[in-house]
Amino acid sequence: MWTDLAWGLQMMLVGMGAVFALLLLLMVVLRLTARLDRTDRDGEADQPGGEPTAAPMTVQTGPDGSTRILVDDTGLDVDTVAAIAVAVMTHAEHRRRLAGPEVRAHAPGSQLFASRWVSVGRTQQTQPFRKS
Amino acid sequence: MNADTMHYLLQGVQNVTWQSLTMVAIGLLLIWLAIVKEYEPLLLIPIGAGAVLANMPLSPLVGPEGALTVLYNMGVANELFPLLIFVGIGAMTDFGPLLENPRMVLLGAAGQFGIFLTLILALVLGFSHNQAASIGIIGAIDGPTSIYVSNKLAPELVAPITVAAYSYMSLVPIIMPPIMRLLTTRKERAIRMPYSSREISQRTRILFPIIVTIVVGTLVPFATPLIGMLMLGNLMRESKVVERLTGAASNELANVVTLFLGLAIGATMVGEKFLQLSTLFILALGLVAFCLDTVMGVVFGKILNAFSGGKFNPLIGAAGISAFPMAARVVQREAQKENFDNFILMHAMGANAAGQVASVVAGGVLLALMGAA
């Protein structure tokens, strides 16, 4: 029996040592990957054209004396650009939901899940043994 | 009508044994637990049904060419079903919280202590080395891993180990909280941890399954089938280019294989083999394994708390097991009991996702140590 116990203890030491070592290595690799990815993205943002720059704005005065702020020479004013931006974002969000219903409902850090109502729902969900 | 005719008509009744009656009762108990108590119904209904069908007198289903025998040979004997289930699990799991906070990986490692402590207890109770290692793997709190490892090391114990693993997994919300409360103070449970989310690019999410497979597969080849299938499912999910395959893996494939696996495992619960003292020991040791995982997770959480100067909520340590996402929810619920506004769910989810990977790694390490091919 003592031989078995010694074998078991040896298994635990070696086994847990191996598990910790492997996962530690995995943690380092994951951190490195995240860092490299961040550096790459920062580099892309630094490149010319990598980050959007504000277009020069001009002010146009109409025949009735009203003024429109144009963002570029295509004739788009600020309100139109804002409306297009909102439409594009809404469309992207809609496409994302259609494409991947199994992905998370909210972006990480959005704090949308922090609603009290959602919290109550989650708390109830953590009691699967209780019939609703 | 002669004596032979009567014999054929009554042979079912004549072959009823107390063992088969007991096993039918156990099968019905599992079905009752699944339906009334909703304990892992996806698994316990097929297992219960398999146990009932296999223990009918002279059941043709478990004969040499019986349907349940065919299912067993098709997917359990060669470990195919657990691996296919892992594809589905990978397709359903979001490793984002782990990628946001990679140090949570260590909590996943701490959650595997129960495996080796239970192995020692099993040795004390007189089990052989292979059997003790198979029983210990219940501490991974991961059904497919338990089936995979025990099938390689001690196939004769697959049925009780599977029943223990899945039954206790469904009892995580009942087993864990008392231990967590016992080992922590109110002040510790109320520790708030700021959640600073960081955007995880799709490139990182795609690289994660590839890197994990290569690193773990190279260092622990025994874990390659498990980690490879888990990460394949996750790669499909994160690539976002095979939505149909992702959907099929997480729904149709996972459901069909779960049904087949449950029936095949239930079919191994034949009275003469199952009703032994060793089964009772395995069920008891399984419970001990779950408790030890929680204890060691919380203790490791307390160690991190000490190192962080009291900023780490030790409850999160208990989430470093494979019961995903149930363990994280239980941790959140316990933290919220002390302070309703305390929200540590995302930290716990990180530890829980780490537990998913760690349990597979631990299974592979155990196989490597036992030298099982």
Side-chain angles (χ1 to χ4, degrees):
Chain A
M1 182 180 156
W2 292 112
T3 322
D4 282 344
L5 268 181
W7 179 82
L9 280 172
Q10 192 186 340
M11 287 285 286
M12 188 173 78
L13 286 176
V14 178
M16 283 312 295
V19 171
F20 265 103
L22 267 170
L23 292 175
L24 206 60
L25 177 69
L26 192 62
M27 184 184 87
V28 172
V29 173
L30 288 180
R31 277 181 182 271
L32 274 176
T33 312
R35 186 164 294 180
L36 286 175
D37 191 30
R38 206 178 305 159
T39 315
D40 284 355
R41 276 190 288 164
D42 290 347
E44 282 168 15
D46 290 344
Q47 283 173 5
E51 198 166 330
T53 51
M57 294 192 199
T58 53
V59 179
Q60 189 182 58
T61 308
D64 55 349
S66 62
T67 55
R68 288 173 71 211
I69 301 173
L70 302 179
V71 294
D72 59 9
D73 52 6
T74 58
L76 292 175
D77 61 21
V78 174
D79 290 340
T80 312
V81 170
I84 291 170
V86 170
V88 167
M89 283 191 287
T90 309
H91 180 64
E93 178 69 11
H94 178 64
R95 286 291 301 272
R96 193 184 68 78
R97 283 192 184 136
L98 283 182
E102 73 283 3
V103 297
R104 64 172 74 189
H106 305 298
S110 64
Q111 300 292 321
L112 288 174
F113 51 78
S115 147
R116 290 288 172 96
W117 290 106
V118 176
S119 298
V120 169
R122 281 182 189 278
T123 307
Q124 284 181 342
Q125 280 177 18
T126 57
Q127 300 175 343
F129 49 88
R130 195 172 289 175
K131 284 201 83 167
S132 54
Chain B
M1 185 185 292
N2 56 23
D4 281 351
T5 313
M6 283 305 290
H7 169 71
Y8 287 127
L9 276 175
L10 295 175
Q11 64 178 346
V13 180
Q14 287 168 347
N15 280 282
V16 172
T17 60
W18 70 268
Q19 290 102 328
S20 61
L21 283 178
T22 310
M23 288 312 298
V24 169
I26 290 174
L28 292 175
L29 174 70
L30 293 178
I31 293 172
W32 179 80
L33 285 173
I35 296 171
V36 179
K37 298 288 181 184
E38 293 183 31
Y39 290 169
E40 292 283 339
L42 283 176
L43 248 301
L44 289 193
I45 284 185
I47 290 177
V52 171
L53 292 171
N55 286 284
M56 290 285 114
L58 302 173
S59 177
L61 286 166
V62 287
E65 300 295 328
L68 296 180
T69 309
V70 171
L71 276 182
Y72 183 86
N73 293 333
M74 194 171 81
V76 180
N78 55 16
E79 293 110 22
L80 177 67
F81 287 165
L83 297 180
L84 290 178
I85 285 191
F86 259 122
V87 180
I89 293 174
M92 286 186 266
T93 306
D94 178 10
F95 286 102
L98 174 63
L99 292 169
E100 286 168 22
N101 199 353
R103 67 185 170 141
M104 289 294 172
V105 162
L106 296 178
L107 290 170
Q112 311 309 316
F113 263 111
I115 296 175
F116 295 97
L117 292 171
T118 310
L119 180 150
I120 294 173
L121 288 176
L123 287 172
V124 172
L125 288 173
F127 286 96
S128 70
H129 288 187
N130 275 7
Q131 288 177 334
S134 300
I135 295 167
I137 200 65
I138 300 174
I141 315 192
D142 188 332
T145 303
S146 301
I147 296 170
Y148 184 84
V149 172
S150 59
N151 204 35
K152 277 195 177 295
L153 297 178
E156 70 278 9
L157 299 184
V158 168
I161 285 173
T162 307
V163 171
Y166 280 108
S167 307
Y168 295 137
M169 210 182 300
S170 63
L171 295 177
V172 159
I174 296 171
I175 296 171
M176 283 173 62
I179 301 170
M180 290 155 70
R181 283 196 290 270
L182 194 70
L183 294 176
T184 51
T185 62
R186 295 176 73 93
K187 194 179 163 193
E188 283 174 334
R189 292 197 292 274
I191 292 174
R192 299 168 74 106
M193 291 177 63
Y195 175 59
S196 53
S197 72
R198 136 177 114 70
E199 190 190 345
I200 306 297
S201 70
Q202 196 192 2
R203 180 164 44 180
T204 303
R205 285 173 178 273
I206 291 172
L207 281 174
F208 172 73
I210 297 170
I211 289 172
V212 171
T213 306
I214 292 172
V215 170
V216 176
T218 307
L219 296 173
V220 195
F222 286 102
T224 304
L226 294 168
I227 203 78
M229 291 294 149
L230 181 72
M231 291 299 139
L232 167 65
N234 193 247
L235 178 64
M236 293 195 305
R237 171 200 169 93
E238 299 299 351
S239 70
K240 292 191 169 43
V241 291
V242 283
E243 294 296 338
R244 282 164 52 192
L245 287 185
T246 308
S250 52
N251 294 301
E252 289 85 357
L253 180 69
N255 291 341
V256 169
V257 177
T258 300
L259 173 65
F260 287 174
L261 182 70
L263 280 172
I265 294 293
T268 61
M269 295 167 65
V270 179
E272 288 76 15
K273 293 180 197 164
F274 194 84
L275 291 176
Q276 294 176 2
L277 190 61
S278 61
T279 303
L280 279 180
F281 281 147
I282 290 169
L283 293 175
L285 285 169
L287 181 60
V288 171
F290 270 57
C291 296
L292 286 174
D293 276 339
T294 311
V295 169
M296 296 309 293
V298 175
V299 168
F300 195 76
K302 284 172 91 86
I303 293 171
L304 289 185
N305 174 274
F307 275 108
S308 66
K311 290 177 185 162
F312 189 88
N313 191 321
L315 287 180
I316 294 171
I321 58 173
S322 184
F324 187 89
M326 205 190 295
R329 287 178 180 170
V330 171
V331 166
Q332 168 61 24
R333 192 183 64 184
E334 287 305 307
Q336 218 166 24
K337 274 183 186 170
E338 295 303 329
N339 180 352
F340 188 77
D341 292 326
N342 196 0
F343 205 80
I344 57 170
L345 182 65
M346 291 312 285
H347 297 282
M349 288 290 270
N352 211 175
Q356 190 89 29
V357 177
S359 66
V360 175
V361 171
V365 166
L366 193 62
L367 283 176
L369 290 175
M370 299 302 295

